Amino acid sequence: MPDTLDRAKLIRLAIFDVDGVLTDGSLYFTDSGEELKVFNVRDGHGLKMLQEAGVRLAIITSRTSRCVEARARNLGIELLYQGVADKLAAFQELLARLGLEAETAFYMGDDVIDLPVMRRCGLAATVTDAPVVVKNHAHYVSRSRGGQGAVREVCEMIMHAQGTLDARIAPYLE
């Protein structure tokens, strides 16, 4: 964990996959074919706190969904990449757009499609129920499952490493 915390100190951009990370990975469809996803409110608050602490947020997902767009908008995440076949290319484009080095980027994914980015970013995380090969390439494996607190866990870990967690929690203790 010391290496993980050292890496977390450098993070200026946190990127998340959706299915299996921001959600539990289940896909729900109505009879009319509309896609539904379930997001965790505590994960959302963790993302907001991380953003308030000065870390930019982004989403890179291979699927395209209006509910993901709505959730990103709700959380103030402007850097949304949907329908991405090549996540590494999107990652590199994002770094260039923001003028950042890979060492300052965090990525959380849950499956083999996420490995190209996980292997190149400064800090890679995955969820506890990810395949073993993905866990083997992560610097941090959450105790929580995707869509059930894993995102909040990594947000707090990054803020703790950067010394900003107490300041984000303090207003709620007054």
Side-chain angles (χ1 to χ4, degrees), residues 23-30 33-38 63 67:
T23 74
D24 68 3
S26 299
L27 297 176
Y28 301 90
F29 292 93
T30 65
E34 185 176 354
E35 185 174 328
L36 304 172
K37 296 182 186 291
V38 176
R63 297 181 55 81
C67 58

Side-chain angles (χ1 to χ4, degrees), residues 4 6 8 54 83 101 105 142:
T4 301
D6 289 340
E101 298 296 323
S142 68

Side-chain angles (χ1 to χ4, degrees), residues 106-110 118 123-127 134 138-141 154 157:
F106 163 85
Y107 184 83
M108 186 172 201
D110 72 307
M118 290 176 66
L123 176 60
T126 193
V127 294
V134 177
H139 301 107
Y140 184 86
V141 177
V154 296
M157 180 266 295

Side-chain angles (χ1 to χ4, degrees), residues 33 45 53 63 69 103 108 114 136 166 168 174:
H45 194 74
R63 297 181 55 81
E69 185 178 336
E103 296 77 31
M108 186 172 201
D114 300 302
N136 288 341
D166 289 344
R168 299 282 45 96
E174 294 176 351

Side-chain angles (χ1 to χ4, degrees), residues 48-137:
K48 286 184 175 186
M49 289 192 307
L50 186 60
Q51 193 169 36
E52 290 168 0
V55 175
R56 299 281 307 262
L57 302 178
I59 291 172
I60 299 176
T61 179
S62 59
R63 297 181 55 81
T64 301
S65 174
R66 288 184 313 209
C67 58
V68 171
E69 185 178 336
R71 184 62 173 153
R73 188 172 39 252
N74 175 261
L75 294 171
I77 299 173
E78 298 173 359
L79 303 169
L80 174 61
Y81 293 75
Q82 293 199 82
V84 175
D86 183 348
K87 289 189 176 189
L88 181 58
F91 172 70
Q92 292 169 333
E93 177 187 318
L94 189 53
L95 292 178
R97 177 178 173 183
L98 299 176
L100 295 173
E101 298 296 323
E103 296 77 31
T104 66
F106 163 85
Y107 184 83
M108 186 172 201
D110 72 307
D111 211 342
V112 294
I113 192 172
D114 300 302
L115 288 174
V117 178
M118 290 176 66
R119 291 173 42 87
R120 288 167 181 83
C121 66
L123 176 60
T126 193
V127 294
T128 192
D129 53 334
V132 171
V133 67
V134 177
K135 290 180 181 180
N136 288 341
H137 290 280

